[in-house]
Amino acid sequence: TLKWHKHVKAEKSLRSRALDLLSRGEYSRLQLAQKLAKYSEDEAEIAALLDDLVERGWQSDERYAEVLIHSKSQRLGNRRLQQELQQKGVNAELFQEALPSREAQLQTAMEVLIKKFKIYQDDAACKAKYMRFLAYRGFDMGTIHDAIGQWRQQDDADAMF
């Protein structure tokens, strides 16, 4: 008679599911709501739980934005970072100051270009390839042109020696 107890899992509360998720990493409020919606159809219950988690400081969209920007800013431009954060439901006001500066963006663009393409080639097809590569990663056109120009100058200077 006790065999059937082994197969029945104790139903976790919504709060414990939320805390399990947050203990493994940062989530935006929208992401957490979507994950919890699988376990409860009561949107008011989920909203109340999320409000409580925010109030206690256990969930923060601002903290989530900082973590995402820190982890991805060495590969992606500000446009792509902004797009990802907005898709996750993070308010733009919460992350504008955390985005990398123009100088940091330019440095990152140069680094990813050199890492990917190794050698600068000065023909139109290659420049278009460089531009597409950086645009896909979310760099703005000003940063793209400056990065390609600086890479070209650096390559020309290296060729002289």
Side-chain angles (χ1 to χ4, degrees):
T1 57
L2 294 176
K3 285 185 178 179
W4 68 274
H5 285 290
K6 290 181 182 176
H7 300 293
V8 178
K9 277 190 172 176
E11 191 61 34
K12 277 186 167 181
S13 73
L14 210 52
R15 175 176 293 282
S16 67
R17 288 184 191 280
L19 292 175
D20 283 351
L21 289 167
L22 290 171
S23 71
R24 288 186 229 125
E26 294 290 340
Y27 287 91
S28 72
R29 183 182 177 105
L30 177 65
Q31 286 178 303
L32 205 52
Q34 289 170 340
K35 289 185 179 291
L36 295 175
K38 297 174 188 172
Y39 304 103
S40 173
E41 294 177 14
D42 186 354
E43 290 179 22
E45 179 187 13
I46 293 172
L49 172 62
L50 292 174
D51 289 342
D52 183 52
L53 294 173
V54 168
E55 199 174 296
R56 293 173 185 258
W58 295 344
Q59 189 281 324
S60 164
D61 278 356
E62 190 171 357
R63 197 169 55 232
Y64 171 76
E66 288 172 4
V67 167
L68 185 128
I69 288 169
H70 180 73
S71 69
K72 295 189 175 190
S73 65
Q74 296 303 308
R75 302 185 310 277
L76 302 176
N78 282 359
R79 286 185 173 181
R80 181 85 176 269
L81 293 169
Q82 288 172 328
Q83 179 187 20
E84 284 193 26
L85 286 165
Q86 286 169 344
Q87 284 176 341
K88 307 285 191 212
V90 179
N91 186 333
E93 294 171 6
L94 295 177
F95 61 79
Q96 288 302 324
E97 290 183 21
L99 290 171
S101 66
R102 172 114 167 78
E103 295 76 28
Q105 286 263 299
L106 184 56
Q107 184 64 36
T108 300
M110 294 251 325
E111 288 170 3
V112 296
L113 258 180
I114 292 168
K115 183 177 180 184
K116 171 76 175 170
F117 295 104
K118 313 276 189 277
I119 300 167
Y120 178 81
Q121 294 181 350
D122 198 16
D123 63 83
C126 286
K127 282 184 184 176
K129 190 186 300 185
Y130 303 152
M131 291 173 78
R132 279 192 309 274
F133 175 79
L134 290 174
Y136 175 76
R137 278 152 188 79
F139 294 97
D140 62 76
M141 287 311 287
T143 303
I144 291 171
H145 286 293
D146 291 350
I148 292 172
Q150 283 188 19
W151 188 26
R152 185 172 134 213
Q153 289 174 351
Q154 183 181 343
D155 192 61
D156 290 346
D158 290 347
M160 287 184 198
F161 296 106

